[in-house]
Amino acid sequence: VSNNAEDLNTLLSISTKDYKYIDTLSKDNRVHKKLIAQELESVYPNAVSKIKDEVPDIFKIAEIKNGRITVANNLKVGEKVKLIFDKHTELAEVIEADANSFRVNLTDEGRVFVYGRQVTDFRVVDYEALSTLSISAIQEQQKMIEKLKTENTNFKAELENSKKENINFKAELENSKKENSEFKNKFIKIENELDEIQKRNVSAKKE
């Protein structure tokens, strides 16, 4: 059984990005809100796979003559590069290369669009795996919500009890104030009576 709490933490660690494709020829130039496979791989490697594909890391128009293509690059001998001509596309092996040009075993002449090299670790995001992760994370969130609901219900009950106790306390306080007032009145009455008695005693002594 998947650990829902761990899955929620994993999901919260995933960062979405807004980006555009370099390859606007086969893709588009819209802004996409998706995930970067290399970043996702460090957080949730189960949702990333590797395939062989070409990447647009050169993506420039150049000239080819006697198999040599003049364009800035960092290709290495033995790598394959995708070349797009007017009527066909070639995946050619690099047989020579320097910083400003490289050579392939082709007889084509003229303009060529140098797409980029072929890589064996082109990363692809498995969004179905992310959907499953999201289900597990949602289940954990629902548990948290239910727990908060229960705690909130208990808190409301405690608050109501506190209100009732406060009302009772106020009533007792009012009764205490009333009793205190009655006691003060009785005390004042006794003081007045004592004063009267004292006055009478003083008068009797004078007589």
Side-chain angles (χ1 to χ4, degrees):
V1 177
S2 182
N3 188 315
N4 298 143
E6 289 182 1
D7 291 341
L8 176 58
N9 288 332
T10 299
L11 189 68
L12 293 175
S13 300
I14 296 173
S15 175
T16 57
K17 292 290 188 298
D18 295 329
Y19 64 83
K20 290 183 177 182
Y21 287 106
I22 295 173
D23 180 7
T24 55
L25 298 177
S26 60
K27 306 292 184 180
D28 54 55
N29 61 356
R30 295 184 296 108
V31 175
H32 294 262
K33 187 180 292 293
K34 291 187 178 182
L35 306 175
I36 303 298
Q38 287 85 346
E39 294 180 0
L40 177 63
E41 186 177 32
S42 64
V43 178
Y44 190 51
N46 291 347
V48 178
S49 57
K50 296 177 183 179
I51 62 172
K52 184 184 289 187
D53 203 352
E54 295 80 43
V55 294
D57 58 345
I58 299 179
F59 215 69
K60 292 179 181 177
I61 296 175
E63 293 288 330
I64 180 171
K65 186 175 183 180
N66 297 325
R68 181 165 294 280
I69 300 173
T70 304
V71 65
N73 71 94
N74 60 354
L75 294 167
K76 295 180 177 62
V77 174
E79 289 187 317
K80 292 183 178 180
V81 60
K82 182 178 179 180
L83 304 173
I84 302 174
F85 296 92
D86 288 337
K87 295 182 179 180
H88 66 100
T89 299
E90 293 284 350
L91 186 61
E93 183 176 340
V94 178
I95 55 180
E96 289 180 13
D98 57 46
N100 299 310
S101 66
F102 63 93
R103 191 162 70 85
V104 295
N105 190 20
L106 294 177
T107 59
D108 299 84
E109 299 281 332
R111 287 162 62 85
V112 59
F113 185 78
V114 185
Y115 186 84
R117 80 189 71 208
Q118 183 186 71
V119 297
T120 58
D121 60 348
F122 187 90
R123 288 164 172 78
V124 180
V125 175
D126 182 355
Y127 283 95
E128 184 177 346
L130 286 174
S131 297
T132 307
L133 179 70
S134 298
I135 291 172
S136 179
I138 289 171
Q139 290 173 341
E140 178 63 20
Q141 283 186 325
Q142 189 60 37
K143 291 177 187 176
M144 295 169 67
I145 290 171
E146 293 301 325
K147 182 181 178 182
L148 287 173
K149 283 182 179 179
T150 301
E151 291 176 352
N152 188 47
T153 300
N154 293 337
F155 174 74
K156 285 183 177 179
E158 291 176 0
L159 185 62
E160 287 301 318
N161 289 334
S162 179
K163 285 181 179 179
K164 290 178 182 178
E165 290 175 356
N166 190 43
I167 291 172
N168 293 335
F169 174 75
K170 284 183 177 179
E172 291 175 359
L173 185 62
E174 289 299 321
N175 289 333
S176 178
K177 286 181 179 179
K178 185 177 180 181
E179 290 174 357
N180 189 45
S181 177
E182 291 176 353
F183 175 78
K184 282 184 177 180
N185 290 335
K186 287 180 181 179
F187 184 77
I188 291 171
K189 184 177 179 182
I190 291 171
E191 281 188 329
N192 291 335
E193 289 177 354
L194 287 173
D195 285 342
E196 286 295 325
I197 292 172
Q198 190 172 8
K199 287 178 182 179
R200 288 173 187 171
N201 289 336
V202 172
S203 297
K205 285 180 179 180
K206 288 181 178 180
E207 292 174 359

mmCIF file with all atom_site columns, all heavy atoms in Angstrom, residues 17 19 83 89 95 103 109 119 152 154:
data_model
loop_
_atom_site.group_PDB
_atom_site.id
_atom_site.type_symbol
_atom_site.label_atom_id
_atom_site.label_alt_id
_atom_site.label_comp_id
_atom_site.label_asym_id
_atom_site.label_entity_id
_atom_site.label_seq_id
_atom_site.pdbx_PDB_ins_code
_atom_site.Cartn_x
_atom_site.Cartn_y
_atom_site.Cartn_z
_atom_site.occupancy
_atom_site.B_iso_or_equiv
_atom_site.pdbx_formal_charge
_atom_site.auth_seq_id
_atom_site.auth_comp_id
_atom_site.auth_asym_id
_atom_site.auth_atom_id
_atom_site.pdbx_PDB_model_num
ATOM 1  N N   . LYS A 1 17  ? 6.606   24.631 -14.340 1.00 0.00 ? 17  LYS A N   1
ATOM 2  C CA  . LYS A 1 17  ? 7.328   25.686 -15.054 1.00 0.00 ? 17  LYS A CA  1
ATOM 3  C C   . LYS A 1 17  ? 6.500   26.174 -16.248 1.00 0.00 ? 17  LYS A C   1
ATOM 4  O O   . LYS A 1 17  ? 5.728   25.425 -16.842 1.00 0.00 ? 17  LYS A O   1
ATOM 5  C CB  . LYS A 1 17  ? 8.671   25.166 -15.561 1.00 0.00 ? 17  LYS A CB  1
ATOM 6  C CG  . LYS A 1 17  ? 9.681   24.847 -14.462 1.00 0.00 ? 17  LYS A CG  1
ATOM 7  C CD  . LYS A 1 17  ? 10.178  26.112 -13.787 1.00 0.00 ? 17  LYS A CD  1
ATOM 8  C CE  . LYS A 1 17  ? 11.337  25.830 -12.831 1.00 0.00 ? 17  LYS A CE  1
ATOM 9  N NZ  . LYS A 1 17  ? 10.985  24.954 -11.726 1.00 0.00 ? 17  LYS A NZ  1
ATOM 10 N N   . TYR A 1 19  ? 7.167   27.484 -19.955 1.00 0.00 ? 19  TYR A N   1
ATOM 11 C CA  . TYR A 1 19  ? 8.281   27.522 -20.904 1.00 0.00 ? 19  TYR A CA  1
ATOM 12 C C   . TYR A 1 19  ? 7.781   27.445 -22.346 1.00 0.00 ? 19  TYR A C   1
ATOM 13 O O   . TYR A 1 19  ? 6.629   27.086 -22.614 1.00 0.00 ? 19  TYR A O   1
ATOM 14 C CB  . TYR A 1 19  ? 9.263   26.370 -20.636 1.00 0.00 ? 19  TYR A CB  1
ATOM 15 C CG  . TYR A 1 19  ? 8.690   24.983 -20.838 1.00 0.00 ? 19  TYR A CG  1
ATOM 16 C CD1 . TYR A 1 19  ? 8.632   24.400 -22.103 1.00 0.00 ? 19  TYR A CD1 1
ATOM 17 C CD2 . TYR A 1 19  ? 8.227   24.242 -19.767 1.00 0.00 ? 19  TYR A CD2 1
ATOM 18 C CE1 . TYR A 1 19  ? 8.118   23.138 -22.294 1.00 0.00 ? 19  TYR A CE1 1
ATOM 19 C CE2 . TYR A 1 19  ? 7.713   22.976 -19.942 1.00 0.00 ? 19  TYR A CE2 1
ATOM 20 C CZ  . TYR A 1 19  ? 7.660   22.420 -21.203 1.00 0.00 ? 19  TYR A CZ  1
ATOM 21 O OH  . TYR A 1 19  ? 7.135   21.172 -21.378 1.00 0.00 ? 19  TYR A OH  1
ATOM 22 N N   . LEU A 1 83  ? 20.036  16.496 -39.747 1.00 0.00 ? 83  LEU A N   1
ATOM 23 C CA  . LEU A 1 83  ? 20.171  17.525 -40.780 1.00 0.00 ? 83  LEU A CA  1
ATOM 24 C C   . LEU A 1 83  ? 18.910  17.541 -41.632 1.00 0.00 ? 83  LEU A C   1
ATOM 25 O O   . LEU A 1 83  ? 18.448  16.495 -42.104 1.00 0.00 ? 83  LEU A O   1
ATOM 26 C CB  . LEU A 1 83  ? 21.390  17.232 -41.657 1.00 0.00 ? 83  LEU A CB  1
ATOM 27 C CG  . LEU A 1 83  ? 22.730  17.099 -40.920 1.00 0.00 ? 83  LEU A CG  1
ATOM 28 C CD1 . LEU A 1 83  ? 23.817  16.629 -41.881 1.00 0.00 ? 83  LEU A CD1 1
ATOM 29 C CD2 . LEU A 1 83  ? 23.120  18.412 -40.258 1.00 0.00 ? 83  LEU A CD2 1
ATOM 30 N N   . THR A 1 89  ? 15.415  14.485 -44.839 1.00 0.00 ? 89  THR A N   1
ATOM 31 C CA  . THR A 1 89  ? 16.084  14.647 -43.543 1.00 0.00 ? 89  THR A CA  1
ATOM 32 C C   . THR A 1 89  ? 17.068  13.506 -43.358 1.00 0.00 ? 89  THR A C   1
ATOM 33 O O   . THR A 1 89  ? 16.783  12.361 -43.706 1.00 0.00 ? 89  THR A O   1
ATOM 34 C CB  . THR A 1 89  ? 15.054  14.643 -42.402 1.00 0.00 ? 89  THR A CB  1
ATOM 35 O OG1 . THR A 1 89  ? 14.152  15.741 -42.577 1.00 0.00 ? 89  THR A OG1 1
ATOM 36 C CG2 . THR A 1 89  ? 15.731  14.784 -41.048 1.00 0.00 ? 89  THR A CG2 1
ATOM 37 N N   . ILE A 1 95  ? 32.135  12.734 -38.595 1.00 0.00 ? 95  ILE A N   1
ATOM 38 C CA  . ILE A 1 95  ? 33.438  12.074 -38.786 1.00 0.00 ? 95  ILE A CA  1
ATOM 39 C C   . ILE A 1 95  ? 34.608  13.023 -38.491 1.00 0.00 ? 95  ILE A C   1
ATOM 40 O O   . ILE A 1 95  ? 35.736  12.569 -38.299 1.00 0.00 ? 95  ILE A O   1
ATOM 41 C CB  . ILE A 1 95  ? 33.553  11.485 -40.212 1.00 0.00 ? 95  ILE A CB  1
ATOM 42 C CG1 . ILE A 1 95  ? 33.304  12.567 -41.265 1.00 0.00 ? 95  ILE A CG1 1
ATOM 43 C CG2 . ILE A 1 95  ? 32.593  10.336 -40.391 1.00 0.00 ? 95  ILE A CG2 1
ATOM 44 C CD1 . ILE A 1 95  ? 33.416  12.043 -42.710 1.00 0.00 ? 95  ILE A CD1 1
ATOM 45 N N   . ARG A 1 103 ? 32.143  17.630 -40.188 1.00 0.00 ? 103 ARG A N   1
ATOM 46 C CA  . ARG A 1 103 ? 32.006  16.959 -41.473 1.00 0.00 ? 103 ARG A CA  1
ATOM 47 C C   . ARG A 1 103 ? 31.247  15.648 -41.303 1.00 0.00 ? 103 ARG A C   1
ATOM 48 O O   . ARG A 1 103 ? 31.411  14.937 -40.321 1.00 0.00 ? 103 ARG A O   1
ATOM 49 C CB  . ARG A 1 103 ? 33.381  16.694 -42.091 1.00 0.00 ? 103 ARG A CB  1
ATOM 50 C CG  . ARG A 1 103 ? 33.333  16.240 -43.565 1.00 0.00 ? 103 ARG A CG  1
ATOM 51 C CD  . ARG A 1 103 ? 34.704  16.421 -44.223 1.00 0.00 ? 103 ARG A CD  1
ATOM 52 N NE  . ARG A 1 103 ? 35.689  15.478 -43.718 1.00 0.00 ? 103 ARG A NE  1
ATOM 53 C CZ  . ARG A 1 103 ? 35.839  14.235 -44.199 1.00 0.00 ? 103 ARG A CZ  1
ATOM 54 N NH1 . ARG A 1 103 ? 35.055  13.805 -45.194 1.00 0.00 ? 103 ARG A NH1 1
ATOM 55 N NH2 . ARG A 1 103 ? 36.772  13.443 -43.705 1.00 0.00 ? 103 ARG A NH2 1
ATOM 56 N N   . GLU A 1 109 ? 24.829  19.370 -51.326 1.00 0.00 ? 109 GLU A N   1
ATOM 57 C CA  . GLU A 1 109 ? 25.470  20.685 -51.409 1.00 0.00 ? 109 GLU A CA  1
ATOM 58 C C   . GLU A 1 109 ? 24.422  21.772 -51.170 1.00 0.00 ? 109 GLU A C   1
ATOM 59 O O   . GLU A 1 109 ? 23.244  21.607 -51.486 1.00 0.00 ? 109 GLU A O   1
ATOM 60 C CB  . GLU A 1 109 ? 26.106  20.881 -52.790 1.00 0.00 ? 109 GLU A CB  1
ATOM 61 C CG  . GLU A 1 109 ? 27.193  19.884 -53.149 1.00 0.00 ? 109 GLU A CG  1
ATOM 62 C CD  . GLU A 1 109 ? 28.523  20.203 -52.494 1.00 0.00 ? 109 GLU A CD  1
ATOM 63 O OE1 . GLU A 1 109 ? 28.769  21.400 -52.221 1.00 0.00 ? 109 GLU A OE1 1
ATOM 64 O OE2 . GLU A 1 109 ? 29.306  19.270 -52.242 1.00 0.00 ? 109 GLU A OE2 1
ATOM 65 N N   . VAL A 1 119 ? 20.720  12.066 -28.836 1.00 0.00 ? 119 VAL A N   1
ATOM 66 C CA  . VAL A 1 119 ? 21.136  11.663 -27.488 1.00 0.00 ? 119 VAL A CA  1
ATOM 67 C C   . VAL A 1 119 ? 20.414  10.380 -27.101 1.00 0.00 ? 119 VAL A C   1
ATOM 68 O O   . VAL A 1 119 ? 19.346  10.056 -27.628 1.00 0.00 ? 119 VAL A O   1
ATOM 69 C CB  . VAL A 1 119 ? 20.834  12.769 -26.448 1.00 0.00 ? 119 VAL A CB  1
ATOM 70 C CG1 . VAL A 1 119 ? 21.633  14.029 -26.745 1.00 0.00 ? 119 VAL A CG1 1
ATOM 71 C CG2 . VAL A 1 119 ? 19.335  13.092 -26.428 1.00 0.00 ? 119 VAL A CG2 1
ATOM 72 N N   . ASN A 1 152 ? -12.353 20.713 14.572  1.00 0.00 ? 152 ASN A N   1
ATOM 73 C CA  . ASN A 1 152 ? -13.154 21.934 14.555  1.00 0.00 ? 152 ASN A CA  1
ATOM 74 C C   . ASN A 1 152 ? -14.487 21.719 15.281  1.00 0.00 ? 152 ASN A C   1
ATOM 75 O O   . ASN A 1 152 ? -14.946 22.593 16.030  1.00 0.00 ? 152 ASN A O   1
ATOM 76 C CB  . ASN A 1 152 ? -13.405 22.360 13.108  1.00 0.00 ? 152 ASN A CB  1
ATOM 77 C CG  . ASN A 1 152 ? -14.057 23.726 13.010  1.00 0.00 ? 152 ASN A CG  1
ATOM 78 O OD1 . ASN A 1 152 ? -13.640 24.675 13.665  1.00 0.00 ? 152 ASN A OD1 1
ATOM 79 N ND2 . ASN A 1 152 ? -15.099 23.826 12.194  1.00 0.00 ? 152 ASN A ND2 1
ATOM 80 N N   . ASN A 1 154 ? -15.033 19.506 17.667  1.00 0.00 ? 154 ASN A N   1
ATOM 81 C CA  . ASN A 1 154 ? -14.720 19.428 19.102  1.00 0.00 ? 154 ASN A CA  1
ATOM 82 C C   . ASN A 1 154 ? -14.454 20.809 19.678  1.00 0.00 ? 154 ASN A C   1
ATOM 83 O O   . ASN A 1 154 ? -14.865 21.118 20.806  1.00 0.00 ? 154 ASN A O   1
ATOM 84 C CB  . ASN A 1 154 ? -13.504 18.528 19.319  1.00 0.00 ? 154 ASN A CB  1
ATOM 85 C CG  . ASN A 1 154 ? -13.780 17.083 18.965  1.00 0.00 ? 154 ASN A CG  1
ATOM 86 O OD1 . ASN A 1 154 ? -14.940 16.649 18.971  1.00 0.00 ? 154 ASN A OD1 1
ATOM 87 N ND2 . ASN A 1 154 ? -12.737 16.325 18.663  1.00 0.00 ? 154 ASN A ND2 1
#
